Amino acid sequence: MKSIKNVFALTLIGASFWLMAANPGDVTTELGIEMPKIRQDVLLNLKEEKWFFFSATHSMRQVAHRIPEGSRATTVRALGKAVRAYVESSVFKNEWLQDLRATYPYDEAYTEEGIAKKKQENEAQKDVMKGQMSTQLAAMDQGFAHMDPAMLKMAAQSQIGQQEQELASLEGSERTIQAQRVASLKKMLALPAVEFKKQYLAWLKQQMQATVNQSTTPELDRERLAEEHRKKAEFDAHADFKPLLKKRLEDFIALSESVDFEARLVPMGRKQAFANPVYERKPAEWKFLYRLGKEPVAEAQVFARQWLADLSKQKN
């Protein structure tokens, strides 16, 4: 009889489910498997090209070693039902779509309707700012009317040093704009106090107007719109996981049917190898099913075929 050392582990029969546990009534508790772990592995096995992904803790291996051969098929059925219930739940669908958004990102707001709405919002915001600015300009005129030109010029002169210090910490367009402001202020400071007051007030009003005008209205970029449509189409093409689930189930059935559970092992140094060199060249997934044994794998086949049949009956 061949030695089965790894009668445990997480594996995917197409869409993934746990194959081993001690108590069929509560398999996840007996193996110490938490639901977040199952969710993570189900998602990984469904989307990864190497679909036969699995891992197990030391305690899980110890429990698996104690499983009687007659209880393994029952365990597979219990685990299969648990994972299928999760895959068919709204929780899984939402998690699948969230993961998909990271793989196929797109800007859902960049549409003709979205840009039109943004333009409308920006224009409304500009109108509000213009109304506020009118009030501010009136208050500024009133305040400047009582200012002594010489005192105002001295106050502006004292700000030059601070503005030049701020300039040194800026980069790019911000540095360019600040440099222009400093240069304009220095030029005005060369004027007589009365003329300085007049031009300084006009300059401040111009800066306020420029701030309002900088609230740009977005224009529709047809090239970007086409790119976002392409990204959205790519996302939509992968949004339905059922075709991939069917493929995983079909792959598992084909792989498991190819396993020769009567294959003979021979000593090979400190390990064992297949006597048939063809089997020795088989992939790790094939050898894993061989180690699990005929009983649990046969039950997994039944489960996979039933799930596949049910999926084929569904329209969506």
Side-chain angles (χ1 to χ4, degrees):
M1 178 181 291
K2 56 182 178 292
S3 172
I4 303 176
K5 296 183 178 180
N6 297 322
V7 189
F8 65 90
L10 170 69
T11 184
L12 179 71
I13 65 160
S16 172
F17 66 84
W18 289 94
L19 284 177
M20 287 297 155
N23 186 343
D26 192 5
V27 291
T28 57
T29 300
E30 293 294 340
L31 271 180
I33 308 166
E34 297 181 355
M35 196 60 196
K37 169 66 173 173
I38 294 180
R39 291 179 176 178
Q40 179 186 35
D41 288 332
V42 167
L43 190 62
L44 280 174
N45 280 288
L46 188 57
K47 73 177 186 176
E48 293 293 334
E49 292 184 8
K50 290 285 187 179
W51 57 270
F52 208 79
F53 173 87
F54 55 89
S55 62
T57 64
H58 176 69
S59 61
M60 289 163 59
R61 291 194 294 269
Q62 288 183 323
V63 171
H65 278 305
R66 298 194 296 267
I67 301 173
E69 289 193 13
S71 70
R72 295 170 188 168
T74 305
T75 299
V76 168
R77 285 195 299 273
L79 288 167
K81 289 179 181 178
V83 174
R84 178 172 173 175
Y86 165 59
V87 172
E88 293 177 345
S89 70
S90 59
V91 173
F92 175 77
K93 292 180 178 67
N94 290 335
E95 291 177 349
W96 172 262
L97 293 177
Q98 289 176 8
D99 185 81
L100 206 63
R101 284 299 298 268
T103 306
Y104 302 101
Y106 68 93
D107 187 350
E108 60 185 3
Y110 203 88
T111 62
E112 293 191 27
E113 297 78 10
I115 295 301
K117 182 179 179 181
K118 187 65 176 178
K119 289 179 68 173
Q120 186 177 12
E121 292 173 350
N122 281 13
E123 291 300 327
Q125 185 178 16
K126 278 187 177 182
D127 290 340
V128 172
M129 292 176 67
K130 287 178 181 179
Q132 294 173 343
M133 188 177 67
S134 297
T135 303
Q136 292 172 352
L137 290 176
M140 186 180 293
D141 284 335
Q142 185 176 2
F144 265 67
H146 303 288
M147 287 185 182
D148 178 71
M151 294 296 293
L152 179 62
K153 185 175 181 179
M154 289 178 60
Q157 179 69 54
S158 67
Q159 295 177 3
I160 289 292
Q162 180 180 351
Q163 292 184 9
E164 288 181 330
Q165 287 181 353
E166 293 176 356
L167 181 63
S169 64
L170 299 177
E171 297 180 355
S173 60
E174 291 185 352
R175 181 182 178 85
T176 301
I177 293 172
Q178 181 68 4
Q180 291 173 348
R181 289 174 178 171
V182 172
S184 297
L185 185 56
K186 284 183 176 181
K187 185 177 180 180
M188 285 185 287
L189 285 170
L191 299 172
V194 174
E195 183 63 22
F196 168 78
K197 177 181 177 179
K198 178 181 177 180
Q199 291 196 21
Y200 186 56
L201 176 59
W203 180 74
L204 288 177
K205 290 181 177 180
Q206 185 182 21
Q207 295 299 308
M208 292 176 64
Q209 183 66 52
T211 300
V212 174
N213 292 336
Q214 284 176 0
S215 301
T216 58
T217 299
E219 296 296 333
L220 183 64
D221 184 338
R222 290 290 174 182
E223 290 187 2
R224 182 183 172 187
L225 182 63
E227 177 64 13
E228 294 300 334
H229 282 172
R230 184 194 65 77
K231 291 180 179 180
K232 178 62 164 58
E234 192 171 26
F235 172 85
D236 289 341
H238 295 84
D240 184 3
F241 62 86
K242 291 179 182 177
L244 183 57
L245 174 56
K246 290 180 181 179
K247 181 65 166 58
R248 293 291 187 262
L249 291 167
E250 291 167 349
D251 288 345
F252 169 77
I253 293 170
L255 176 68
S256 60
E257 287 180 340
S258 71
V259 178
D260 180 3
F261 292 101
E262 302 304 320
R264 188 168 58 90
L265 296 173
V266 295
M268 183 69 70
R270 298 176 61 182
K271 300 181 179 180
Q272 287 187 314
F274 288 99
N276 187 337
V278 174
Y279 293 163
E280 191 59 33
R281 292 192 294 269
K282 291 290 186 180
E285 296 85 0
W286 191 96
K287 294 176 181 178
F288 175 71
L289 294 181
Y290 171 84
R291 289 195 299 270
L292 285 177
K294 187 174 182 179
E295 178 193 352
V297 173
E299 186 61 35
Q301 288 177 350
V302 173
F303 183 87
R305 288 192 178 94
Q306 183 59 57
W307 198 353
L308 186 60
D310 293 342
L311 286 169
S312 298
K313 296 176 184 177
Q314 299 175 9
K315 294 182 179 179
N316 298 319

